[in-house]
């Protein structure tokens, strides 16, 4: 017997003073609903059937029978529209328009949240986009654009954390470039000392792109950001002639 073939006559059980466990009573109710839903489905009354299966899933979210029939109904009710969105999504991917392709897959999932092809399509688009960015990042590094290359690798990994090749290459590039970190920090400190905080921030951020755990770069970046923010506040006070800092513009 399948899991929806259990039913009890609850009224008879009460009259006969037969105690039935609540778990079995629940299975009995769900069995009745499932059989009713399947009968509606078999007679092409899909919307009514969907309502019945939705009721089952409110009580038992993992009920395989209700999930399968709900998916079948969604396919039948939205088949034409689903096919249209899937076709558009695939065309976007062909032209490497990954973001817009994912939007079409998401439209499919709004119609049918369990649509397997749409779910796989989103995953594939993320993988393809990540790999394209990785290839560009590798080319940037080969052409001497270290910082842009590292940013590209980071972006590729953010898009798809499963891109192990991007992770490996980024790790190798950082290791090979670690000797350049001190030069970035020195340049940053030079600008920091003459209160050129915006440029200093850029140098410290670039040092941290190469060596994220560098404490010196982290500390100077934090100081530069705070002082840059303070300078900006003072300028705003002066330009707006706020009373709280009137000593600056009297």
């Amino acid at each position: 017997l399948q899991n929806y073939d259990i039913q009890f006559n609850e009224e008879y059980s009460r009259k006969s003073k037969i105690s039935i466990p609540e778990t079995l009573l629940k299975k009995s109710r769900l069995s009745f609903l499932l059989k009713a839903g399947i009968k509606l489905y078999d007679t092409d009354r899909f919307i009514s059937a969907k309502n019945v299966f939705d009721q089952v899933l409110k009580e038992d979210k993992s009920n395989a029978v209700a999930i399968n029939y709900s998916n079948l109904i969604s396919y039948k009710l939205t088949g034409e529209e689903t096919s249209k969105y899937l076709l558009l999504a695939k065309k976007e991917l062909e032209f490497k328009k990954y973001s817009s392709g994912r939007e079409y897959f998401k439209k499919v999932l709004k119609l049918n949240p369990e649509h397997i092809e749409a779910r796989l399509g989103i995953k594939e688009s993320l993988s393809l986009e990540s790999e394209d960015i990785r290839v560009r990042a590798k080319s940037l590094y080969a052409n001497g654009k270290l910082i842009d290359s590292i940013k590209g690798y980071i972006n590729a990994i953010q898009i798809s954390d499963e891109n192990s090749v991007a992770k490996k290459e980024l790790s190798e590039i950082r290791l090979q470039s670690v000797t350049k970190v001190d030069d970035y920090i020195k340049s940053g400190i030079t600008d920091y000392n003459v209160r050129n905080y915006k440029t200093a921030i850029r140098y410290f951020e670039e040092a941290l792109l190469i060596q994220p755990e560098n404490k010196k770069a982290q500390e100077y970046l934090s100081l530069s950001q705070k002082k840059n923010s303070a300078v900006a506040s003072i300028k705003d006070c002066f330009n707006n002639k706020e009373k709280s800092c009137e000593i600056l513009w009297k």
Side-chain angles (χ1 to χ4, degrees):
L1 292 178
Q2 296 186 36
N3 67 337
Y4 55 84
D5 285 334
I6 302 173
Q7 282 185 253
F8 293 103
N9 187 324
E10 293 184 49
E11 185 178 354
Y12 174 80
S13 299
R14 283 194 298 270
K15 287 180 179 179
S16 303
K17 297 183 180 181
I18 298 173
S19 177
I20 301 174
E22 180 57 34
T23 54
L24 290 179
L25 289 174
K26 180 180 178 181
K27 285 185 178 180
S28 175
R29 289 194 299 273
L30 295 182
S31 173
F32 174 80
L33 288 172
L34 286 169
K35 287 185 175 181
I38 292 169
K39 186 174 181 179
L40 289 167
Y41 176 87
D42 289 340
T43 54
D44 294 339
R45 295 161 69 183
F46 299 123
I47 294 176
S48 296
K50 179 101 171 41
N51 290 336
V52 172
F53 292 124
D54 285 346
Q55 182 60 42
V56 172
L57 291 171
K58 283 182 181 179
E59 295 191 46
D60 181 7
K61 293 181 180 179
S62 61
N63 190 290
V65 176
I67 290 171
N68 288 336
Y69 271 98
S70 290
N71 290 340
L72 285 171
I73 292 168
S74 293
Y75 280 123
K76 286 183 177 292
L77 294 177
T78 64
E80 186 176 338
E81 200 169 3
T82 293
S83 296
K84 179 184 74 174
Y85 288 140
L86 285 175
L87 182 61
L88 290 170
K90 290 173 183 177
K91 283 185 177 179
E92 293 297 278
L93 295 192
E94 286 177 11
F95 291 99
K96 298 188 176 184
K97 296 180 179 180
Y98 303 112
S99 181
S100 56
R102 284 194 291 275
E103 290 305 311
Y104 283 121
F105 283 128
K106 288 176 183 178
K107 287 183 178 181
V108 172
L109 291 174
K110 281 186 178 180
L111 296 172
N112 184 356
E114 303 300 325
H115 197 285
I116 295 173
E117 187 176 356
R119 287 183 177 277
L120 292 176
I122 289 176
K123 186 176 181 179
E124 181 189 14
S125 74
L126 290 169
S127 178
L128 290 170
E129 183 174 7
S130 175
E131 184 59 12
D132 274 3
I133 293 171
R134 182 198 69 80
V135 171
R136 290 199 296 271
K138 186 174 183 178
S139 177
L140 286 168
Y141 181 69
N143 286 286
K145 296 182 179 180
L146 173 62
I147 299 302
D148 288 339
S149 172
I150 291 176
K151 288 179 179 178
Y153 277 111
I154 291 172
N155 188 20
I157 294 166
Q158 287 174 338
I159 289 172
S160 178
D161 189 58
E162 296 179 2
N163 194 330
S164 57
V165 177
K167 290 180 180 180
K168 180 176 180 291
E169 290 178 353
L170 174 59
S171 180
E172 291 172 350
I173 287 171
R174 280 175 163 164
L175 189 62
Q176 293 167 7
S177 308
V178 72
T179 55
K180 298 180 180 180
V181 171
D182 284 345
D183 291 336
Y184 282 99
I185 293 175
K186 286 177 183 177
S187 296
I189 291 174
T190 298
D191 279 296
Y192 176 87
N193 288 335
V194 295
R195 299 180 182 181
N196 192 0
Y197 300 121
K198 285 186 178 179
T199 304
I201 287 170
R202 178 171 59 81
Y203 279 121
F204 297 131
E205 286 178 339
E206 290 175 349
L208 290 169
L209 283 172
I210 300 171
Q211 192 177 40
E213 70 279 8
N214 189 290
K215 297 295 183 184
K216 192 173 184 179
Q218 290 174 356
E219 290 170 4
Y220 266 104
L221 175 60
S222 178
L223 287 170
S224 299
Q225 290 171 332
K226 288 176 182 177
K227 293 200 174 186
N228 185 60
S229 179
V231 169
S233 296
I234 291 170
K235 286 181 179 179
D236 286 342
C237 258
F238 182 81
N239 292 332
N240 298 328
K241 294 188 175 182
E242 296 177 10
K243 289 185 178 181
S244 60
C245 53
E246 59 185 359
I247 192 172
L248 295 173
W249 48 269
K250 269 189 174 181

